[in-house]
């Protein structure tokens, strides 16, 4: 079976300067993959390339197939069809991902309406209202009616990220791309959001591309990881193997650093 | 992405800089020259009335037979004096007010911001006309003072916004915890960081001032004769614009070339003055 | 003896919405203390109070036996000489228009500390692990970790007794973070360190004491090792349970 997302020999350059070099990986339906890297590793650019969201200044070569469709060079109309239906995004900062001037209900309603239109029927009025509330309940938001009436600045960061996840789920995508979705959150909120994402992805059999610099966070939610350093995938494999017995020097340094803080918490360091 | 941002303006920057330097340099050279040498006595009746351009009179003569090119050259000097002094006055008052507002308590800041917004709602020229009208005599000094005051509101508002943005940065908090006084913060951190944007705005203001002074003179509210302001030359050429068009064209070109030159120069200087735009990362 | 004594300090913009509510805290000379809390815990406000940037609404802070008097510019001058800070974002905390010499020497200039400034700056740069020949370079030429080292050099150049760090490693990459934590640990051997952070792992690695704040109150305080091994308050337990760990 063809993978949901396949990236083959992807090269991204700006003015001839390489940003991502010869990157290849794939995600099968229902698979959870982590893309690990520090700032400047090209991990977020890779996610943008996967959905054709790259800035114009960046040149992409190679093959990116999303849901059987070649993404590089595809017209915007085709890409728009892929986004939402095949893949949906959750970003790091939920405050900037939401429109500050629209109530939560209006923002969540938009992708729901789009999905209904795609499936060949119109969704409006109280039926739409019910769907919005049902979706907010699925992301475990307390008092969904109150949240639906609120503006983004009136709810907490964790609640905003739940709304953003609800919007991503509205179109029932096969692949969820989460770019540092918990980095801006408090640690207790992060734990809740990770639990939520984990449950949703399992329940719906969605594939997950989870991008993060935080090794333990990635370890909690994915099965396989790709470690990137300055645009190059230095190591790929199942989480436990890569983190348990890292082969590349860079991965080893990251694992040692992460374990040092873990060890400090256990009182062993 | 930084590479794209860095290379494009640098290539453009050098061209604008050179063109700006050329135009402004020309006007400054002419202005300095008028202090020591002029082709003709500006008041002398040296030829026929309204003669077209010739080898003797590059821009022809006016309706009294005075050499027109001599008057345009003097106009350069007046324009530069007006522009520089008006921007200096407007900049001094405006930057001071703007920085004070940025540092002030909420209430004072709101009051200052509202006052500035009201002032800016009036056209610069109108404010300048009011100031000139309020003084007894029309002179170059009054016109410059009037323009400076009119410009200060625009400068103050921009300074306030820019300074407030800088004050949010952590390096300001770091400066405070390093024991730097607020005057020190203004001079060491705020002004250097808002200067690039401010200086480009000053160039715009310079252009505005030169044009406004020409307008004041055109309306008879500017420098009185025998000051050959370009605005007064334009006004005098009004009646003869069909018979001797050079009388309107020449001061027009002089005015436009100076205003464009200053703007290009400021753009170019901003690009090379910024350490983050110098060299590549 | 306590270097800093926070006595029943409250802070709020209105009486019914307190950001800090009756906080008391003793910081021994030579200790390294982690102030841990999530957003809304009041940890940043407490730090601003300790820095003398804001006055408490109630209570007082004593430093070296004397009341921290933000109104007296003479007292503050002396206070700033002894208390310096490092901030979270190394991109925002360095003035882009000053070179390294200008940035690091700011406390020396502003506090009128006598001596050969370039030499003092070079010494500070060396003690944070940077080359001394970068005096003429500008912040944009450095990486995040190097910038944070420059910021730390600025904080220690006047040889303060107390170093206050506000999420000083949170904006850094993991591999850089561990090196900056090691640097701070090494510096903490010679001075008192108060390290504000939301990151329990970093605090555990750096501080021998910690204070847990929740919604403007201290819920638990004590020796780091003891609190990690045997957390008493439910909130401390929840925080510890939320920290993601590496797979065994």
């Amino acid at each position: 079976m063809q993978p949901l997302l396949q990236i083959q020999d992807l090269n991204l350059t700006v003015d001839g300067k390489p940003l991502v070099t010869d990157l290849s990986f794939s995600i099968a339906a229902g698979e959870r993959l982590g893309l690990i890297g520090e700032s400047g590793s090209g991990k977020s650019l890779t996610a943008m390339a996967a959905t054709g969201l790259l800035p114009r200044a960046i040149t992409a070569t190679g093959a990116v197939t999303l849901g059987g469709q070649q993404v590089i060079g595809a017209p915007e109309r085709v890409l728009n069809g892929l986004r939402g239906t095949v893949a949906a995004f959750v970003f790091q900062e939920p405050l900037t991902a939401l429109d500050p001037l629209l109530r939560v209900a209006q923002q969540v309603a938009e992708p729901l309406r789009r999905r209904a239109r795609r499936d060949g029927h119109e969704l409006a009025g109280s039926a739409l209202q019910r769907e919005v509330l049902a979706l907010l309940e699925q992301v475990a938001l307390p008092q969904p009616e109150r949240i639906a009436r609120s503006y983004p600045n009136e709810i907490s960061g964790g609640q905003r990220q739940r709304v953003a996840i609800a919007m991503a789920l509205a179109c029932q995508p096969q692949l969820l791309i989460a770019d540092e979705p918990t980095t801006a959150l408090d640690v207790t909120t992060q734990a809740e959001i990770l639990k939520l994402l984990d449950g949703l992805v399992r329940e719906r059999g969605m594939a997950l591309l989870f991008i993060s610099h935080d090794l333990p966070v990635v370890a909690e939610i994915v099965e396989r990881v790709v470690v990137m350093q300055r645009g190059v995938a230095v190591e790929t494999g199942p989480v436990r193997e890569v983190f348990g017995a890292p082969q590349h020097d860079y991965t080893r340094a990251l694992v040692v650093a992460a374990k040092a803080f873990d060890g400090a918490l256990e009182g062993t360091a | 992405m930084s590479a794209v941002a860095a290379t494009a303006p640098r290539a453009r920057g050098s061209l604008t800089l050179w063109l700006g330097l050329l135009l402004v340099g020309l006007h400054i050279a002419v202005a300095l020259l008028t202090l020591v040498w002029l082709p003709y006595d500006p008041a002398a009746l040296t030829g026929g009335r309204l003669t077209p351009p010739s080898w003797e009179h590059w821009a022809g003569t006016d309706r009294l037979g005075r050499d027109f090119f001599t008057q345009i050259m003097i106009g350069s000097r007046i324009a530069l004096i007006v522009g520089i002094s008006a921007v200096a006055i407007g900049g001094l008052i405006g930057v001071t007010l703007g920085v004070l507002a940025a540092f002030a308590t909420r209430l004072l800041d709101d009051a200052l911001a509202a006052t500035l917004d009201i002032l800016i709602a009036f056209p610069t020229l109108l404010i300048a006309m009011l100031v000139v009208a309020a003084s007894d005599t029309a002179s170059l000094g009054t016109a410059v003072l009037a323009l400076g005051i009119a410009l200060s509101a625009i400068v103050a508002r921009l300074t306030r916004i820019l300074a407030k943005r800088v004050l949010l940065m952590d390096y300001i908090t770091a400066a405070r915890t390093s024991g730097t006084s607020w005057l020190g913060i203004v001079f060491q951190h705020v002004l250097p960081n808002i200067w690039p944007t401010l200086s480009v705005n000053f160039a715009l203001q310079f252009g505005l001032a030169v044009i406004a002074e020409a307008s004041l003179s055109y309306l008879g509210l500017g420098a009185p004769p025998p000051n050959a302001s370009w605005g007064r030359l334009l006004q005098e050429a009004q009646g003869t614009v069909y018979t001797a068009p050079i009388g309107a064209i020449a001061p027009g070109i002089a005015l436009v070339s100076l205003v464009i030159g200053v703007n290009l120069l400021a753009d170019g200087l901003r690009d090379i003055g910024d350490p983050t735009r110098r060299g590549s990362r | 003896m306590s270097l800093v004594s926070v006595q029943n300090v409250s802070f709020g913009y209105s009486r019914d919405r307190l950001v800090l509510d009756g906080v008391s805290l003793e910081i021994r000379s030579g200790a390294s203390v982690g102030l841990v809390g999530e957003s809304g815990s009041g940890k940043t406000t407490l730090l601003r109070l300790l820095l003398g940037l804001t006055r408490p609404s109630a209570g007082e802070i004593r430093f070296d036996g004397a009341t921290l008097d933000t109104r007296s510019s003479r007292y503050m001058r002396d206070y700033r000489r002894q208390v310096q800070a490092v901030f979270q974002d190394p991109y925002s905390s360095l003035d882009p228009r000053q070179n390294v010499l200008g940035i690091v020497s700011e406390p020396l200039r502003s506090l009128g500390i006598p001596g050969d400034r370039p030499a003092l700056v070079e010494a500070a740069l060396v003690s944070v692990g940077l080359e001394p020949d970068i005096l003429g370079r500008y912040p944009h030429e450095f990486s995040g970790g190097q910038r944070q080292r420059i910021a730390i050099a600025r904080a220690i150049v006047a040889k303060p007794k107390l170093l206050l760090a506000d999420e000083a490693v949170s904006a850094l990459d993991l591999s850089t973070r561990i090196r900056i934590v090691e640097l701070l640990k090494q510096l903490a051997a010679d001075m008192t360190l108060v390290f504000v952070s939301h990151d329990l792992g970093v605090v555990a690695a750096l501080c021998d004491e910690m204070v847990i704040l929740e919604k403007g109150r201290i819920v638990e305080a004590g020796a780091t090792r003891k609190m990690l091994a045997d957390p008493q308050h439910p909130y401390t337990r929840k925080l510890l349970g939320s920290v993601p760990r590496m797979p065994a």
Side-chain angles (χ1 to χ4, degrees):
Chain A
M1 201 190 104
Q2 203 190 358
L4 197 55
L5 171 67
Q6 177 147 36
I7 291 179
Q8 196 83 53
D9 300 325
L10 177 70
N11 280 279
L12 301 178
T13 54
V14 64
D15 279 357
K17 216 175 72 184
L19 300 171
V20 168
T21 312
D22 296 333
L23 181 69
S24 301
F25 67 85
S26 64
I27 302 178
E31 197 191 4
R32 288 171 290 147
L33 178 82
L35 209 52
I36 293 180
E38 303 192 321
S39 50
S41 63
K43 58 188 192 300
S44 293
L45 284 176
T46 304
M48 286 159 105
T51 48
L53 284 170
L54 283 175
R56 263 171 220 284
I58 295 177
T59 320
T61 60
V64 173
T65 347
L66 180 62
Q69 166 72 46
Q70 164 69 284
V71 171
I72 296 175
E76 195 61 18
R77 185 176 44 78
V78 174
L79 293 175
N80 260 331
L82 289 177
R83 291 177 205 139
T85 61
V86 180
F89 251 110
V90 176
F91 294 99
Q92 172 172 351
E93 185 37 78
L95 192 54
T96 50
L98 300 179
D99 186 333
L101 299 178
L102 289 181
R103 290 177 198 277
V104 166
Q106 290 167 286
Q107 319 216 20
V108 179
E110 187 46 41
L112 280 172
R113 250 201 307 262
R114 238 189 349 243
R115 187 194 78 206
R117 221 173 292 141
R118 185 186 84 207
D119 299 344
H121 62 270
E122 281 300 317
L123 194 59
S126 56
L128 179 62
Q129 200 86 36
R130 270 199 305 279
E131 291 261 338
V132 167
L133 291 180
L135 201 53
L136 293 182
E137 255 167 58
Q138 280 169 41
V139 294
L141 275 165
Q143 302 172 284
E145 288 90 356
R146 183 184 61 83
I147 301 254
R149 280 195 309 271
S150 310
Y151 288 98
N153 68 315
E154 295 170 341
I155 58 180
S156 73
Q159 290 171 336
R160 280 195 288 263
Q161 197 58 297
R162 285 172 195 269
V163 171
I165 292 170
M167 288 170 67
L169 294 179
C171 285
Q172 297 176 338
Q174 295 163 271
L175 169 66
L176 188 66
I177 302 178
D179 189 356
E180 304 264 9
T182 61
T183 305
L185 304 175
D186 276 332
V187 60
T188 50
T189 317
Q190 163 170 286
E192 291 163 18
I193 296 284
L194 284 177
K195 213 170 120 202
L196 173 74
L197 273 177
D198 190 51
L200 287 169
V201 169
R202 279 174 201 279
E203 245 168 60
R204 299 173 170 233
M206 273 189 295
L208 176 69
L209 176 58
F210 193 95
I211 298 157
S212 180
H213 68 284
D214 195 327
L215 274 66
V217 167
V218 174
E220 287 205 352
I221 195 154
V222 303
E223 302 151 337
R224 215 154 54 83
V225 289
V226 175
V227 182
M228 289 182 72
Q229 182 193 23
R230 280 182 241 114
V232 180
V234 295
E235 194 160 352
T236 309
V239 170
R240 281 180 179 276
E241 280 177 29
V242 172
F243 287 1
Q247 299 302 309
H248 193 276
D249 282 347
Y250 179 68
T251 320
R252 215 170 290 143
L254 287 182
V255 169
V256 165
K259 287 202 166 150
F261 291 125
D262 261 22
L265 280 174
E266 304 301 337
T268 54
Chain B
M1 265 178 282
S2 56
V4 195
T7 49
R10 216 172 35 239
R12 193 178 56 86
S14 57
L15 185 70
T16 55
L17 183 66
W18 284 114
L19 207 60
L21 269 178
L22 186 75
L23 287 172
V24 175
L26 198 69
H27 278 282
I28 291 177
V30 168
L32 290 176
L33 186 64
T34 60
L35 297 174
V36 292
W37 179 82
L38 282 167
Y40 294 94
D41 178 350
L45 312 177
T46 54
R49 296 174 176 191
L50 293 173
T51 57
S54 63
W55 277 116
E56 286 77 39
H57 303 285
W58 287 5
T61 56
D62 69 4
R63 60 201 156 115
L64 296 176
R66 295 172 297 200
D67 181 58
F68 205 55
F69 196 76
T70 306
Q71 300 187 47
I72 302 241
M73 285 172 68
I74 297 173
S76 269
R77 187 174 75 208
I78 294 176
L80 282 171
I81 292 174
V82 166
I84 291 168
S85 339
V87 167
I89 295 170
L92 203 66
I93 301 176
V95 170
T96 311
L97 278 179
V99 167
L100 281 175
F103 271 90
T105 56
R106 183 81 178 274
L107 198 68
L108 184 60
D109 178 36
D110 283 351
L112 269 168
T115 316
L116 293 176
D117 282 343
I118 293 169
L119 276 178
I120 288 165
F122 291 98
T124 310
L125 189 59
L126 190 64
I127 300 183
M129 282 167 67
L130 285 172
V131 177
V132 172
S135 65
D136 296 336
T137 52
S139 74
L140 197 61
T142 333
V144 164
L145 186 67
L147 289 170
I149 291 171
L151 293 180
S152 66
I154 305 174
V155 175
R157 186 166 72 165
L158 181 70
T159 305
R160 172 178 166 272
I161 295 167
L162 293 172
K164 285 200 124 175
R165 206 183 301 155
V166 170
L167 289 181
L168 289 177
M169 304 300 283
D170 281 346
Y171 59 79
I172 299 297
T173 317
R176 288 179 65 190
T177 59
S178 297
T180 309
S181 64
W182 84 262
L183 264 181
I185 289 177
V186 169
F187 285 101
Q188 290 173 34
H189 299 290
V190 177
L191 291 181
N193 277 286
I194 68 174
W195 179 248
T197 316
L198 216 50
S199 63
V200 174
N201 188 260
F202 281 166
L204 286 173
Q205 308 293 344
F206 180 96
L208 265 180
V210 169
I211 292 171
E213 191 279 330
S215 311
L216 282 178
S217 297
Y218 184 83
L219 296 169
L221 292 169
N227 289 309
S229 151
W230 290 330
R232 201 172 55 74
L233 298 183
L234 281 167
Q235 188 220 359
E236 285 173 0
Q238 197 178 18
T240 58
V241 72
Y242 292 111
T243 49
I246 187 74
I249 293 169
I253 290 177
L255 183 64
V256 169
S257 65
L258 176 61
V259 173
I260 290 179
V262 169
N263 280 303
L264 292 178
L265 183 65
D267 252 359
L269 284 178
R270 179 193 51 185
D271 289 348
I272 58 165
D274 186 344
T276 58
R277 291 193 191 212
R278 244 183 282 146
S280 57
R281 296 181 70 161
Chain C
M1 192 200 122
S2 284
L3 180 65
V4 182
S5 165
V6 177
Q7 297 175 350
N8 206 15
V9 161
S10 294
F11 183 84
Y13 296 98
S14 67
R15 200 165 294 237
D16 44 311
R17 284 189 66 184
L18 288 178
V19 185
L20 279 181
D21 188 359
V23 167
S24 296
L25 176 67
E26 299 288 323
I27 297 167
R28 274 181 309 107
S29 190
S32 58
V33 181
L35 294 182
V36 182
E38 298 189 290
S39 47
S41 63
K43 60 184 191 300
T44 302
T45 305
L46 182 53
L47 185 93
R48 288 183 62 85
L49 292 173
L50 288 173
L51 279 172
L53 294 171
T54 323
R55 265 195 294 276
S57 316
E60 70 166 0
I61 295 172
R62 299 179 73 80
F63 179 81
D64 234 353
T67 304
L68 167 53
D69 180 7
T70 54
R71 276 168 225 223
S72 156
S73 55
R74 194 202 222 157
Y75 175 82
M76 285 314 289
R77 203 181 171 78
D78 191 43
Y79 185 70
R80 301 239 175 272
R81 226 185 133 136
Q82 306 185 54
V83 181
Q84 288 283 317
V86 181
F87 299 92
Q88 174 172 4
D89 181 0
Y91 288 85
S92 153
S93 71
L94 307 182
D95 187 335
R97 299 204 155 252
Q98 288 192 344
N99 62 19
V100 172
L101 175 62
I103 290 169
V104 178
S105 67
E106 181 158 9
L108 301 178
R109 277 181 284 135
S110 297
L111 297 167
I113 295 170
D116 178 2
R117 274 182 207 148
L120 287 170
V121 169
E122 280 177 5
L125 290 174
V126 169
S127 56
V128 299
L130 289 169
E131 296 296 322
D133 61 356
I134 56 168
L135 294 186
R137 290 166 66 185
Y138 287 85
H140 74 270
E141 300 173 49
F142 298 94
S143 69
Q146 290 171 321
R147 282 165 177 251
Q148 200 61 308
R149 284 176 196 269
I150 295 172
I152 295 172
R154 168 177 58 196
I156 62 166
V157 74
K159 303 192 173 63
K161 279 188 190 165
L162 173 62
L163 184 62
L164 298 166
D166 184 12
E167 299 277 9
V169 301
S170 305
L172 304 175
D173 279 330
L174 181 60
S175 44
T176 316
R177 189 180 304 174
I178 193 146
R179 286 198 288 271
I180 299 291
V181 166
E182 273 157 17
L183 169 64
L184 287 170
K185 200 168 185 170
Q186 183 195 318
L187 294 172
D190 304 322
M191 57 182 98
T192 310
L193 173 73
V194 172
F195 187 86
V196 171
S197 181
H198 70 281
D199 192 330
L200 271 170
V202 170
V203 170
L206 179 58
C207 305
D208 26 76
E209 287 170 43
M210 68 179 182
V211 175
I212 312 272
L213 283 154
E214 188 198 16
K215 293 185 191 129
R217 290 168 189 265
I218 294 179
V219 298
E220 194 170 349
T224 306
R225 265 169 190 276
K226 197 164 149 276
M227 278 171 69
L228 290 175
D230 183 23
Q232 297 297 312
H233 195 276
Y235 182 72
T236 314
R237 277 187 222 128
K238 186 181 174 194
L239 266 186
L240 270 169
S242 300
V243 180
R245 311 286 172 99
M246 291 292 281

